[in-house]
Amino acid sequence: MGTSGIEALFPVGLSVGEALRVLGPVAVYALGMAIYAVFIFKFYRFIAGRDMFNLDFSKHDDSGIPVLRDFLHLMGYLTKYVILFPAFAFFWFAVLTLMLSFLSEGREMSDILLIALATVSTIRVCAYYNEDLSRDLSKILPFAVLAIFVIDTSFFDVEASLEVLRQIIGLADTIFYYLVFLVVLEFGLRFVYGIYRAVFPAKKEPEPPQPAAAASDQPTTPAGTQHNPAAGD
């Protein structure tokens, strides 16, 4: 292809500045979508797990005192489900509320909060039934938002969504009640699951068979053929 052919193919010419102008939005979109996907992938696996926290203070007790061990176990339990769980549940609840506010234009914030609470509650209930099911549920809505954004970026009206979010200021009492509900629900699920496991213990997986002992490298001498140095030639 001659010079005239290249000029016909690129009539305005090629330049680094033009390349940066064209590829800049691509890099921003790709980076933003990747960060969003990684965040959802990491966090949904956490919120959908039956045991969200692996804290056991009693295992650090070397005193051998049963009362102290029980006290540390109780403190760990309360820390997990009275302090940490409400914080993480509220964060996920807030994330879902934000997503729904962009998806549900024209809806009241009270309805959005109700749907977000129902979604989080359903995820937690399913986590005690089957963790795979809860993981699928917890990623449906976030990835649906991503899919809509990829298909039609004009679907989102930032101004309208922010206007809906401003209604949350007058719903502080509702949000508090919802948070208390999540904590009570989690305690109830733990209690019911504990009773279920007490009645129907989990089956222990069979231990893998031990490998057979390696054969001795020493050659075996048949009985009756051993050389007796005391015997005469």
Side-chain angles (χ1 to χ4, degrees):
M1 181 181 294
T3 305
S4 59
I6 296 177
E7 292 178 352
L9 184 61
F10 305 106
V12 296
L14 299 175
S15 66
V16 176
E18 182 66 15
L20 293 177
R21 186 188 68 81
V22 173
L23 297 178
V26 177
V28 172
Y29 271 70
L31 181 61
M33 292 169 61
I35 293 175
Y36 179 84
V38 170
F39 168 77
I40 296 301
F41 177 76
K42 292 292 185 181
F43 198 75
Y44 91 81
R45 296 167 67 90
F46 174 77
I47 195 68
R50 183 182 302 119
D51 296 314
M52 299 172 60
F53 311 100
N54 293 321
L55 294 178
D56 188 4
F57 297 153
S58 61
K59 66 182 181 181
H60 301 293
D61 173 39
D62 298 329
S63 62
I65 303 176
V67 176
L68 181 58
R69 186 181 300 109
D70 294 340
F71 174 76
L72 292 176
H73 180 75
L74 177 62
M75 291 300 298
Y77 189 86
L78 293 177
T79 301
K80 287 189 290 185
Y81 296 105
V82 177
I83 299 176
L84 294 179
F85 173 76
F88 280 93
F90 178 77
F91 177 74
W92 189 240
F93 174 70
V95 170
L96 290 179
T97 301
L98 182 63
M99 293 178 181
L100 288 171
S101 66
F102 283 95
L103 285 176
S104 307
E105 297 180 8
R107 301 196 67 166
E108 295 293 332
M109 176 53 68
S110 58
D111 296 336
I112 294 176
L113 291 175
L114 177 62
I115 296 173
L117 175 68
T119 303
V120 176
S121 301
T122 303
I123 292 172
R124 294 309 303 157
V125 170
C126 292
Y128 286 87
Y129 173 73
N130 187 292
E131 288 183 301
D132 292 333
L133 174 60
S134 64
R135 292 190 186 102
D136 290 338
L137 285 175
S138 60
K139 64 185 178 182
I140 286 177
L141 184 59
F143 285 129
V145 174
L146 180 60
I148 294 174
F149 177 78
V150 171
I151 295 173
D152 184 10
T153 56
S154 63
F155 177 84
F156 300 98
D157 188 344
V158 178
E159 290 296 330
S161 300
L162 292 178
E163 185 63 29
V164 173
L165 287 174
R166 292 188 185 98
Q167 302 176 14
I168 205 170
I169 300 176
L171 298 172
D173 54 344
T174 301
I175 295 174
F176 177 77
Y177 296 147
Y178 284 174
L179 183 60
V180 172
F181 173 81
L182 285 175
V183 175
V184 173
L185 175 66
E186 188 69 19
F187 272 104
L189 291 172
R190 298 292 299 182
F191 179 75
V192 173
Y193 183 76
I195 295 178
Y196 174 79
R197 279 305 174 202
V199 177
F200 304 101
K203 296 181 180 180
K204 295 183 178 180
E205 297 182 357
E207 296 182 357
Q210 297 294 332
S216 175
D217 294 335
Q218 298 294 332
T220 57
T221 305
T225 61
Q226 295 182 352
H227 177 67
N228 187 357
D233 293 332

